[in-house]
């Protein structure tokens, strides 16, 4: 077993009293694993804690909503999903109104977002009447897939279930659209598709690195030698393979890299380059500027990532500069831009006024205004969330000589949400 050195106070998870650090089944599992094979990477820790088939946080829990550990934009306001539905229709129209498309969502939560999008599709049925639409959900959580099915189908038509198949569940939505569930993106049929990833990339496992006098050293998780059922951060004594993902000209002292995000962006890019369509990513994140963003959430409050693993959500901000690099050359990218800018460009103020004018119920009006404030206020979600899109090169102006350029005026003017010109 390799010897590991501690990472100092920077990586300390604090001196939690014993009663605040219960020995969960996941903690027991991790301690056994570390004793057997040695300290583990933060990426392996996140993967085990969130998606372990037997004890993973996401696998058998409904962690969303007011009773859960965090709440998402679709749960706050119906307008969010409606505007995303408009975005997909806008892109479909801009690219020639194909006779069929797949709507693919990665990590669909409780199905609220895709439900709001499908409601827009129904309301604009005259526009989409000659288009054959199908819905494809990529979901690892059995618990959430059942909630999604109830939300989207109301099970009016019995669901087909086949646990051993890549398509583990099939049904028909309330509006009569075929819907299928998969555990992996690569199992979704290739074809003209619109992909949606809302708060998906921020829970993919990250490797953490600290710059030291000896060079980059990866942060690992080990058992605290002073307390047998407590975990701590340590630094690897030598280079590790994931260091290959750090940019050669990196100036930060601490970085997080997410190889899984790169794999998914490459897959999306290849699909979009081959068959057309677009991908829209909405998430917490930065453009290659932040350092230590790894954190936990439990009961809507920040939670020590090493305490009571399996009882809290773990997340790390998305590095959009990395996503852009992984897409470069295959497809064009737009963004990231702040959520309040994207939603304003999509006409959130117009939509809010319509809904307020239609409602005479004070409680509904208050809910609409509070939801708008949560989504748009720079101190709330307005500047913390970003939007990022992948599109075929031929979708954008400027030709091939601009394909590696970052977002520019000629590009942005064509795509709804990424330009203020979209609604003029």
């Amino acid at each position: 077993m390799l010897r590991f050195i501690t990472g100092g106070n920077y990586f300390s998870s604090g001196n939690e009293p014993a009663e605040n650090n219960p020995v969960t089944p996941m903690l027991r599992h991790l301690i056994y694993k570390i004793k057997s094979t040695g300290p583990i990477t933060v990426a392996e820790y996140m993967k085990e804690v969130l998606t372990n088939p037997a004890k993973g946080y996401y696998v058998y829990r409904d962690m969303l909503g007011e009773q859960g550990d965090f709440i998402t934009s679709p749960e706050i306001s119906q307008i969010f999903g409606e505007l995303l539905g408009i975005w997909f229709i806008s892109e479909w129209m801009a690219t020639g109104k194909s006779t069929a498309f797949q709507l693919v969502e990665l990590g669909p939560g409780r199905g609220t977002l895709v439900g709001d999008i499908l409601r827009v599709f129904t309301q604009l049925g005259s526009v989409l009447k000659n288009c054959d639409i199908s819905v494809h959900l990529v979901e690892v959580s059995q618990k959430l897939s059942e909630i999604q099915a109830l939300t989207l189908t109301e099970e009016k038509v019995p669901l087909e279930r086949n646990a051993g198949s890549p398509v583990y569940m099939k049904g028909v939505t309330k509006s009569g659209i075929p819907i299928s569930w998969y555990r992996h993106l690569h199992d979704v049929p290739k074809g003209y598709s619109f992909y949606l990833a809302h708060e998906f990339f921020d829970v993919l496992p990250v490797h953490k690195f600290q710059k030291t006098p000896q060079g980059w050293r990866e942060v690992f998780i080990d058992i605290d030698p002073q307390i047998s059922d407590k975990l701590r951060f340590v630094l690897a004594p030598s280079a590790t393979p994931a260091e290959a993902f750090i940019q050669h000209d990196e100036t930060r002292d601490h970085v997080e890299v997410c190889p899984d995000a790169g794999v998914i962006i490459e897959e999306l890019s290849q699909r979009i380059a081959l068959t057309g369509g677009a991908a829209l990513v909405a998430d917490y994140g930065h453009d290659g500027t932040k350092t230590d963003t790894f954190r936990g959430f439990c009961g809507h409050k920040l939670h020590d990532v090493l305490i009571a693993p399996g009882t809290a959500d773990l997340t790390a901000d998305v590095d959009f500069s990395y996503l852009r690099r992984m897409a470069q050359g295959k497809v064009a990218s737009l963004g990231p831009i702040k959520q309040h800018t994207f939603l304003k460009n999509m006409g959130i103020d117009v939509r809010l006024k319509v809904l307020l004018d239609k409602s005479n119920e004070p409680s509904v009006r208050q809910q609409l205004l509070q939801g708008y404030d949560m989504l748009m206020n720079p101190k709330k979600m307005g500047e913390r969330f970003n939007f990022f899109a992948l599109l075929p090169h031929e979708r954008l102006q400027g030709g091939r000589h601009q394909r590696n350029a970052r977002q520019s005026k000629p590009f942005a003017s064509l795509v709804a949400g990424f330009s203020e010109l979209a609604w003029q």
Side-chain angles (χ1 to χ4, degrees):
M1 185 188 298
L2 286 171
R3 288 176 61 98
F4 284 69
I5 59 171
T6 61
N9 291 333
Y10 186 85
F11 299 115
S12 169
S13 70
N15 296 314
E16 292 283 328
E19 64 270 20
N20 292 342
N21 188 14
V23 181
T24 59
M26 177 56 70
L27 179 58
R28 278 197 294 269
H29 165 71
L30 290 166
I31 287 171
Y32 178 78
K33 184 181 183 73
I34 293 168
K35 282 180 177 176
S36 302
T37 61
I40 59 175
T41 65
V42 171
E44 189 172 359
Y45 179 78
M46 284 183 76
K47 191 173 181 180
E48 283 289 325
V49 170
L50 297 179
T51 60
N52 179 285
K55 307 175 183 72
Y57 172 80
Y58 284 141
V59 179
Y60 297 108
R61 291 166 60 98
D62 172 17
M63 70 297 295
L64 295 162
E66 291 184 17
Q67 304 305 313
D69 294 322
F70 57 94
I71 194 163
T72 62
S73 298
E75 310 288 335
I76 290 166
S77 175
Q78 68 180 70
I79 302 176
F80 184 84
E82 290 171 349
L83 295 179
L84 267 55
I86 296 291
W87 191 87
F88 289 118
I89 293 174
S90 169
E91 278 306 295
W92 172 75
M93 293 174 74
T95 52
K97 299 184 181 179
S98 71
T99 56
F101 71 78
Q102 300 184 148
L103 177 64
V104 183
E105 186 175 5
L106 310 180
R110 303 179 76 168
T112 307
L113 181 53
V114 76
D116 289 340
I117 291 169
L118 293 180
R119 189 172 65 253
V120 170
F121 287 3
T122 300
Q123 289 167 348
L124 296 177
S126 58
V127 178
L128 294 163
K129 63 185 175 188
N130 296 321
C131 186
D132 184 15
I133 301 169
S134 56
V135 176
H136 305 261
L137 305 181
V138 180
E139 179 57 74
V140 296
S141 167
Q142 187 60 42
K143 175 72 173 175
L144 285 179
S145 66
E146 296 293 341
I147 293 170
Q148 292 152 17
L150 200 57
T151 301
L152 298 169
T153 73
E154 292 182 349
E155 304 209 22
K156 288 180 178 176
V157 178
L159 291 162
E160 292 178 40
R161 298 168 194 269
N162 185 350
S165 168
V167 189
Y168 66 86
M169 208 156 68
K170 273 181 164 181
V172 179
T173 71
K174 289 177 277 191
S175 55
I177 295 173
I179 182 167
S180 304
W181 280 262
Y182 313 77
R183 290 180 187 86
H184 307 286
L185 172 61
H186 59 72
D187 290 326
V188 176
K190 287 184 171 67
Y192 184 83
S193 302
F194 292 112
Y195 300 93
L196 175 60
H198 175 262
E199 286 199 63
F200 172 78
F201 283 96
D202 68 316
V203 297
L204 295 179
V206 296
H207 292 264
K208 290 176 74 67
F209 287 88
Q210 177 69 21
K211 195 175 278 182
T212 75
Q214 293 75 41
W216 288 106
R217 290 294 179 263
E218 185 163 4
V219 180
F220 277 62
I221 290 168
D222 196 6
I223 300 163
D224 190 324
Q226 309 298 320
I227 309 169
S228 62
D229 56 6
K230 189 173 188 291
L231 300 174
R232 63 167 184 167
F233 290 112
V234 296
L235 289 181
S238 56
T240 52
E243 189 182 322
F245 291 94
I246 301 174
Q247 289 288 95
H248 296 302
D249 57 354
E250 182 57 68
T251 58
R252 289 171 288 174
D253 290 333
H254 186 91
V255 295
E256 296 163 337
V257 296
C258 184
D260 285 10
V263 170
I264 290 167
I265 288 293
E266 284 197 314
E267 169 88 5
L268 290 173
S269 299
Q270 286 165 1
R271 284 169 172 251
I272 291 166
L274 187 67
T275 60
L280 188 63
V281 177
D283 225 317
Y284 290 102
H286 58 92
D287 211 13
T289 55
K290 288 189 179 178
T291 54
D292 180 19
T293 72
F294 181 42
R295 59 201 184 278
F297 284 98
C298 184
H300 301 273
K301 294 179 180 176
L302 280 170
H303 177 88
D304 190 314
V305 292
L306 298 186
I307 299 297
T311 66
D313 186 35
L314 300 179
T315 178
D317 283 8
V318 178
D319 182 347
F320 287 103
S321 68
Y322 174 61
L323 302 194
R324 186 167 51 245
R325 286 199 304 276
M326 297 309 292
Q328 221 164 48
K330 303 180 195 73
V331 292
S333 63
L334 289 177
I337 65 169
K338 300 299 181 187
Q339 175 167 291
H340 64 80
T341 303
F342 179 89
L343 296 179
K344 199 165 208 50
N345 290 344
M346 287 303 301
I348 190 170
D349 295 329
V350 176
R351 182 59 180 152
L352 176 67
K353 186 176 186 307
V354 169
L355 290 173
L356 288 172
D357 289 347
K358 282 168 63 175
S359 176
N360 296 318
E361 184 66 49
S363 62
V364 173
R365 293 171 64 86
Q366 184 186 13
Q367 190 177 14
L368 285 167
L369 290 167
Q370 284 177 344
Y372 176 91
D373 181 60
M374 182 67 80
L375 294 176
M376 297 294 284
N377 191 325
K379 294 178 180 176
K380 295 179 182 177
M381 289 178 155
E383 287 196 354
R384 295 199 66 198
F385 266 82
N386 295 270
F387 277 78
F388 177 83
L390 301 176
L391 302 150
H393 285 296
E394 57 269 23
R395 167 70 182 90
L396 302 176
Q397 289 177 344
R400 291 183 175 274
H401 69 279
Q402 280 192 348
R403 68 161 46 189
N404 289 332
R406 288 191 52 178
Q407 184 181 343
S408 61
K409 290 287 182 188
F411 276 29
S413 64
L414 285 174
V415 180
F418 291 87
S419 168
E420 60 186 357
L421 302 175
W423 284 79
Q424 289 181 1

